[in-house]
Amino acid sequence: MKTTLAPVSAARADAGVTTSATSPKVPLTALDQLWFQISGTVCNLRCRHCFISCAPDNHAFWFLDPGVVRAALEQSEGLGVKEYYFTGGEPFMHRDLIAILADALALGPATVLTNGTLLTPRGVEGLAALAAGSRYSLELRVSLDGVNPEMNDAIRGPGAFARTLEGLRRLAAAGLLPIVTAVQTWPDAEHDRMLVEFGQRLAEIGCARPRLKVLPPLRIGAEAGRSGGYAATERVTHEMLHGFDLDRLLCTRARLVTSRGVYACPILLDYASARLGDTLAAAAARPAPLSEQACFTCYRSGAICSNVPSGGLERA
Amino acid sequence: MSAGVAAYERVAVFGGVYSNHRALAAVIADARNRGAEALICLGDLGAFGPNPDKVFPLLRDAGAVVIRGNYDDSIARGLDDCQCGYTDPRDNHYAHLSYQYTYARTAPDNRRWLGTLPPEVRFRLGALDALGMHGSPRQMNEFLWESATPTHFLRKLAREHHADVLLGTHTGIHWLRRLGPTSWYVNVGAIGRPANDGRREVWYAFLTAADTRLVVEHVPVAYDHGALADEMREERLPQEFIDTILTGWWTTCLEVLPAKERARGRF
């Protein structure tokens, strides 16, 4: 029996990096993730740590037209997309969300990033039916930033804790298994205790099998005002990419469709450098500049916004 | 793509051995009874189970073709973890226990051997070109779950890697997708632990090809899981791992499961 040896990992660590006097640029390795800024920057909450400062009156990016989404989904098949993500703003403010999710789930797995405050009984019923009827997984990622109202609402606004917990309770009662995401606003020394408390709190409302995902804060947008921004030295340089696994960066694996063009990354909406084109094809062909300081967080922590961390094997 | 590679019509393909030497012996016997011309192992010899050195002679004596999984890659290179990419502290805790035990109890000769294994195997299956890998053809530790892997994505992998039949493991749950009239993706499952389905059997794939026709059977194999559990207790392995062997439900490493696969399990 003869075996044929071939490299398994897609690319050498620093292959394809564009060198210039300014910031490094990285090409798209594969369009694994197609993101949609489905509700633009419009949100029913005004969280103090939001990296793109979403709010009821932030109309910088508007709701995506269902036709735009449908066209991108059609293109995504030929591009070999592996996962679809829907973010905002608050996606459940989009009146066509359920129909759009149905279109996406006909092609592949879909994830919605939500604050969970607009999950009505009827809406949850619709989601449960959608999830049950699809070959692919529907993931609901619900943001909760504390284990009590004092902690959560200090960031997400008065009343948010109770409303999010009610949304989670409805999802659990419908047999769905939401992923609860929490931005780490507590010191590392308290981390283990916080995880236990999150688990207990979620169990109390019927989330018996909680899936908890803790994210580091992204110190841009409103969060920069809350906790201070990045230090001048916290930036991705050419030297830092030597031997680095580029697949850990979201922009080597993803593009984001918005009402104002296609971007490299969902956290860089406020930066013109991240707008890579008018169309998906154009944006896929252009390398992404790592020129913003938020890129430093992705460099350090990996593509935290994905459901499962990306990246290949550790290199010898 | 097929020049110089071995050709078969009946092959047994398995992966995720996880040191379960009792299941491995049962799978080898079952495959032989079915007339397998070749036994192909898609990697991850260690993890979860007891006495990791026991699987090596079984594989060698059976003449199995073995490729490298991420666990084998880590053990061979003495890395700090299994490269499954967990971030959940509980998953990491158990993955660490399992990895430290397996590394310490794998003989240096066997560790070196793992380092010599190729990352993929190509062979002819009837008139079809088959490619076996651990995770995906582009990344050894990429999870391809049934509910999280679009058909168009698999077609792209098959096209880019010049294969009619893609064979993988890594997730531990077997599944099958037809990609075209003469193209398939087969996740062969794992023989080291049950498929998170409440059954004690473990699963491998038996493939029978004639020209461009292919029949894929996912085969459940019973073995003396009670004796394996006894051995795990003697080795002081975590009760959570033993419970999985005895009940068929996964108790750890759950973070990476998509919603559908997670919902089918108990934990």
Side-chain angles (χ1 to χ4, degrees):
Chain A
M1 174 80 206
K2 183 186 171 192
T3 56
T4 307
L5 290 168
V8 165
S9 202
R12 207 165 64 86
D14 50 1
V17 177
T18 308
T19 305
S20 74
T22 57
S23 303
K25 290 183 178 180
V26 292
L28 188 72
T29 310
L31 188 60
D32 284 349
Q33 298 182 16
L34 182 55
W35 286 69
F36 294 97
Q37 193 70 26
I38 195 73
S39 60
T41 44
V42 186
C43 187
N44 59 320
L45 301 184
R46 190 189 299 274
C47 299
R48 292 186 61 219
H49 65 351
C50 185
F51 46 82
I52 47 175
S53 312
C54 293
D57 55 359
N58 184 346
H59 298 170
F61 289 80
W62 196 238
F63 294 91
L64 273 180
D65 184 286
V68 171
V69 179
R70 212 172 295 120
L73 288 173
E74 279 169 18
Q75 289 174 51
S76 77
E77 281 190 271
L79 293 163
V81 168
K82 194 178 173 191
E83 300 174 88
Y84 304 98
Y85 287 86
F86 295 86
T87 188
E90 170 46 48
F92 284 97
M93 291 181 78
H94 197 299
R95 62 183 178 187
D96 298 313
L97 182 68
I98 296 288
I100 288 170
L101 287 176
D103 287 346
L105 283 167
L107 299 176
T111 298
V112 187
L113 282 65
T114 173
N115 60 38
T117 60
L118 301 178
L119 295 169
T120 61
R122 193 165 159 215
V124 170
E125 208 174 286
L127 289 170
L130 206 53
S134 166
R135 163 190 272 181
Y136 299 110
S137 276
L138 170 64
E139 301 287 3
L140 294 153
R141 285 226 322 243
V142 180
S143 298
L144 187 69
D145 288 321
V147 294
N148 53 48
E150 295 73 32
M151 195 177 164
N152 181 79
D153 294 357
I155 296 167
R156 307 189 74 86
F161 185 78
R163 292 169 69 193
T164 300
L165 239 55
E166 180 58 18
L168 284 167
R169 192 193 61 73
R170 286 177 181 151
L171 291 174
L176 297 166
L177 296 171
I179 300 170
V180 174
T181 56
V183 173
Q184 188 183 336
T185 52
W186 51 85
D188 286 345
E190 291 177 27
H191 196 57
D192 289 349
R193 183 178 63 83
M194 286 306 305
L195 294 178
V196 171
E197 287 191 27
F198 265 104
Q200 288 170 345
R201 198 76 211 221
L202 292 168
E204 284 167 15
I205 56 159
C207 290
R209 294 190 279 164
R211 304 162 80 198
L212 186 64
K213 185 177 170 69
V214 178
L215 309 173
L218 296 156
R219 286 171 277 152
I220 55 174
E223 172 66 11
R226 194 184 74 90
S227 63
Y230 288 90
T233 51
E234 291 179 314
R235 205 171 254 296
V236 181
T237 64
H238 294 286
E239 293 71 30
M240 287 162 67
L241 294 183
H242 292 151
F244 179 76
D245 179 6
L246 292 179
D247 289 345
R248 282 168 56 83
L249 301 172
L250 188 73
C251 55
T252 63
R253 295 290 184 135
R255 290 293 182 261
L256 168 78
V257 178
T258 80
S259 62
R260 290 168 51 189
V262 181
Y263 280 66
C265 172
I267 67 174
L268 296 179
L269 287 189
D270 288 337
Y271 300 90
S273 61
R275 188 184 184 282
L276 298 182
D278 293 330
T279 65
L280 192 53
R286 274 188 66 191
L290 303 176
S291 50
E292 306 309 330
Q293 290 190 290
C295 303
F296 185 77
T297 298
C298 199
Y299 176 88
R300 285 279 289 274
S301 308
I304 50 171
C305 43
S306 309
N307 293 343
V308 176
S310 59
L313 295 184
E314 190 174 310
R315 289 178 165 83
Chain B
M1 291 305 294
S2 58
V5 303
Y8 308 111
E9 290 183 341
R10 299 171 66 78
V11 294
V13 190
F14 56 89
V17 182
Y18 307 149
S19 302
N20 190 338
H21 58 94
R22 292 177 188 275
L24 174 61
V27 166
I28 291 170
D30 188 273
R32 284 191 173 138
N33 283 341
R34 289 168 187 266
E37 300 158 4
L39 303 172
I40 297 171
C41 173
L42 301 181
D44 273 12
L45 274 48
F48 301 117
N51 302 308
D53 276 340
K54 288 189 178 180
V55 300
F56 291 84
L58 291 174
L59 288 166
R60 291 186 190 121
D61 291 350
V65 175
V66 186
I67 66 169
R68 189 167 15 120
N70 53 291
Y71 218 92
D72 313 312
D73 188 72
S74 289
I75 295 281
R77 295 161 59 195
L79 300 183
D80 291 338
D81 65 37
C82 57
Q83 305 185 83
C84 284
Y86 302 120
T87 58
D88 181 87
R90 184 176 179 276
D91 280 349
N92 266 326
H93 169 73
Y94 287 107
H96 183 73
L97 284 179
S98 167
Y99 183 73
Q100 291 302 112
Y101 169 84
T102 306
Y103 184 81
R105 299 293 300 273
T106 303
D109 278 358
N110 285 332
R111 282 188 221 153
R112 274 192 290 278
W113 184 72
L114 291 174
T116 68
L117 299 175
E120 65 174 38
V121 55
R122 286 184 185 273
F123 56 95
R124 196 90 169 139
L125 196 51
L128 302 163
D129 288 320
L131 169 59
M133 65 276 169
H134 183 74
S136 86
R138 63 179 192 171
Q139 192 179 306
M140 189 186 284
N141 61 349
E142 180 169 23
F143 291 102
L144 298 182
W145 302 100
E146 181 172 20
S147 84
T149 311
T151 301
H152 61 249
F153 173 79
L154 289 168
R155 286 187 183 130
K156 183 180 85 157
L157 289 183
R159 193 168 61 240
E160 290 181 349
H161 295 271
H162 311 287
D164 303 307
V165 185
L166 294 172
L167 299 151
T169 171
H170 190 47
T171 61
I173 300 179
H174 53 280
W175 60 283
L176 171 70
R177 180 89 47 85
R178 191 153 191 176
L179 309 179
T182 59
S183 183
W184 293 262
Y185 168 80
V186 187
N187 191 310
V188 302
I191 65 165
R193 62 174 182 167
N196 200 21
D197 56 1
R199 295 175 62 168
R200 280 74 170 171
E201 294 97 331
V202 295
W203 297 77
Y204 79 103
F206 197 92
L207 286 79
T208 309
D211 194 25
T212 57
R213 292 187 302 281
L214 180 70
V215 176
V216 179
E217 291 171 84
H218 284 119
V219 183
V221 176
Y223 68 102
D224 192 345
H225 58 275
L228 188 85
D230 289 344
E231 212 179 312
M232 290 169 79
R233 278 189 207 98
E234 284 164 21
E235 290 297 298
R236 300 179 185 281
L237 287 164
Q239 185 60 39
E240 285 77 2
F241 297 173
I242 298 168
D243 289 344
T244 295
I245 294 297
L246 293 177
T247 65
W249 299 113
W250 294 358
T251 54
T252 64
C253 303
L254 296 163
E255 176 194 2
V256 292
L257 267 70
K260 274 189 187 286
E261 281 80 355
R262 183 77 185 258
R264 286 187 205 118
R266 177 168 289 175
F267 297 103

